[in-house]
Amino acid sequence: MEAEAYRGFCLENIAAHYDVVLITSVEPTWERAFITDWEVADPTDQAALAAAGQVLAARHHLAGITTWTEWYLVPVARLARRLGLPANTPEVMQGCRNKATARAFFARHGVPSAASARVGTVEEADQAAARIGYPVVLKPAAHAASIGVIRVNTPGELPSAYAIAAQTAGHGLERPEVLVEEYLDGDEVSVECATFQGQTTVVAVTRKTVGLEPYFEELAHTVDAADPLLATVAPAAEAAIAALGITEGISHVEMRLVNGRPRLIEVNARLAGDLIGHLVHLATGIDLARAAADIACSRAPDLTPTRHQAAAIRFIYPAYTGTLAARRLTEQTEGLERVRFQRQPGDQLVLPQDGGDLFTARIGFLITTGPSAAVAKARAQEAYRNLDVQVAATAQTDPAGEDLAA
């Protein structure tokens, strides 16, 4: 139940203040505790989504509409327009969804970003990489969760990397385009923002730990209410949101600090994934899920901090591809807020270097809190050491056809 593990807090927090009706692609299960009504429809099918929305509008007075799913941003914006509900326009959401379009807006408005080229073949990718200069990053133009994003250090690595990015792009809802981009060498952060009637408030900074090179798998996040980096990154986040024309909603703005200065990666016009919204709530007391609902209903959100601490999440990955044999927490750790396993013994775990992604490799996560980021991270590390995770390596075969030791 990954949806419940990662997005359950959103629905729970919103339902504490609003009556919620839901459009969902499958019959609701755990969601029923937080909703008053629902319709089953594929949110990526515009006609089916519109029909479901009209059915719910006939049964209820709808005050607003929101989504936290990246792939639904444009269809939901179109539904909002059809139902006469306040929201960003579909055109603005399309600009956020397509990273090439976003780069063009950033350049037009002077927002520091990365050199980028849209390509359709491996030959075009090779030419773009030569112009930009190695190392480069290849990524689908419209995807999420760092899936299909890969660093390329040399021309010899480019064909296989292009195949990975192109294959991922082909699984999306938009045109299957690939971007070749300048590699931004610096610490990665995200900035969590709320925009109401065109005014943006920067709420928190999320410091990220990224690994499993040459991929960009997110291994951990930390949010500190007292993070001094907030003043450095806030102007760039606000400028990026304004450049894209976002006037309403929650934004998750990703950037890297190159020589101490922010350079934009992308703007996700929705609540962050990986429970970052929950970390923000734990650290600052600000409820971004409720804020999203408030803004959707044309109400000014309460963004007043009520806590002053830090929270960290550490994701659990195997050291190698294989079959999960066992996973448990052996003892409690001070400040451990929760631990959640999303894989069961017997499940296959496939790391990105073996053709997988975060959905096939991640075993679960743990969350800790503390008076500072350093304490929260130290507690997360201690809790991680208290995990007993056993994985049986997958046997591999060498070119001669003989099994290799696993």
Side-chain angles (χ1 to χ4, degrees), residues 56-81:
L56 289 173
R59 294 203 294 255
H60 307 273
H61 170 69
L62 302 183
I65 184 171
T66 189
T67 181
W68 46 72
T69 301
E70 180 72 19
W71 294 276
Y72 302 166
L73 288 173
V74 175
V76 167
R78 289 175 178 151
L79 178 59
R81 174 180 283 176

Side-chain angles (χ1 to χ4, degrees), residues 129-392:
R131 289 195 308 271
I132 293 171
Y134 287 92
V136 295
V137 175
L138 267 61
K139 63 176 65 172
H143 223 277
S146 298
I147 299 173
V149 182
I150 182 169
R151 174 175 165 168
V152 183
N153 296 313
T154 66
E157 297 173 0
L158 191 135
S160 60
Y162 179 82
I164 292 171
Q167 182 182 33
T168 304
H171 294 160
L173 302 176
E174 293 87 359
R175 291 173 59 190
E177 298 175 322
V178 172
L179 299 183
V180 179
E181 297 194 338
E182 171 190 8
Y183 172 67
L184 300 178
D185 190 5
D187 293 338
E188 185 168 342
V189 303
S190 65
V191 188
E192 320 313 327
C193 306
T195 304
F196 179 62
Q197 296 181 353
Q199 292 294 116
T200 295
T201 300
V202 175
V203 173
V205 179
T206 304
R207 304 235 187 185
K208 297 173 176 290
T209 301
V210 180
L212 302 183
E213 293 185 357
Y215 303 93
F216 294 83
E217 211 69 31
E218 296 183 345
L219 306 180
H221 306 302
T222 308
V223 176
D224 188 345
D227 197 322
L229 193 58
L230 197 65
T232 300
V233 299
E238 292 166 354
I241 289 170
L244 291 170
I246 296 171
T247 59
E248 311 292 337
I250 304 302
S251 295
H252 171 62
V253 183
E254 298 182 353
M255 60 182 71
R256 282 199 172 215
L257 301 175
V258 180
N259 297 322
R261 297 181 178 181
R263 299 272 298 276
L264 262 291
I265 298 175
E266 62 190 52
V267 175
N268 300 282
R270 40 82 182 167
L271 191 65
D274 278 352
L275 287 156
I276 288 174
H278 184 58
L279 298 185
V280 171
H281 197 198
L282 290 173
T284 70
I286 297 173
D287 186 347
L288 287 177
R290 181 185 177 181
D294 288 338
I295 294 169
C297 296
S298 298
R299 296 178 179 175
D302 184 357
L303 303 175
T304 306
T306 58
R307 297 184 189 133
H308 201 75
Q309 62 175 9
I313 186 168
R314 175 77 180 265
F315 301 106
I316 307 166
Y317 283 94
Y320 40 77
T321 291
T323 303
L324 182 62
R327 81 286 186 276
R328 66 187 181 100
L329 181 68
T330 59
E331 60 181 278
Q332 288 294 319
T333 303
E334 183 179 2
L336 181 62
E337 193 263 349
R338 71 180 66 178
V339 60
R340 182 73 178 256
F341 296 110
Q342 62 196 68
R343 295 286 182 266
Q344 304 299 321
D347 286 353
Q348 296 298 306
L349 308 173
V350 184
L351 289 167
Q353 58 264 37
D354 298 315
D357 52 45
L358 71 88
F359 300 109
T360 61
R362 190 180 286 179
I363 298 169
F365 60 85
L366 56 87
I367 295 176
T368 53
T369 60
S372 67
V375 173
K377 290 173 68 176
R379 288 173 173 174
Q381 181 65 20
E382 182 182 356
Y384 201 83
R385 287 196 296 265
N386 290 335
L387 293 172
D388 176 21
V389 176
Q390 300 176 31
V391 177

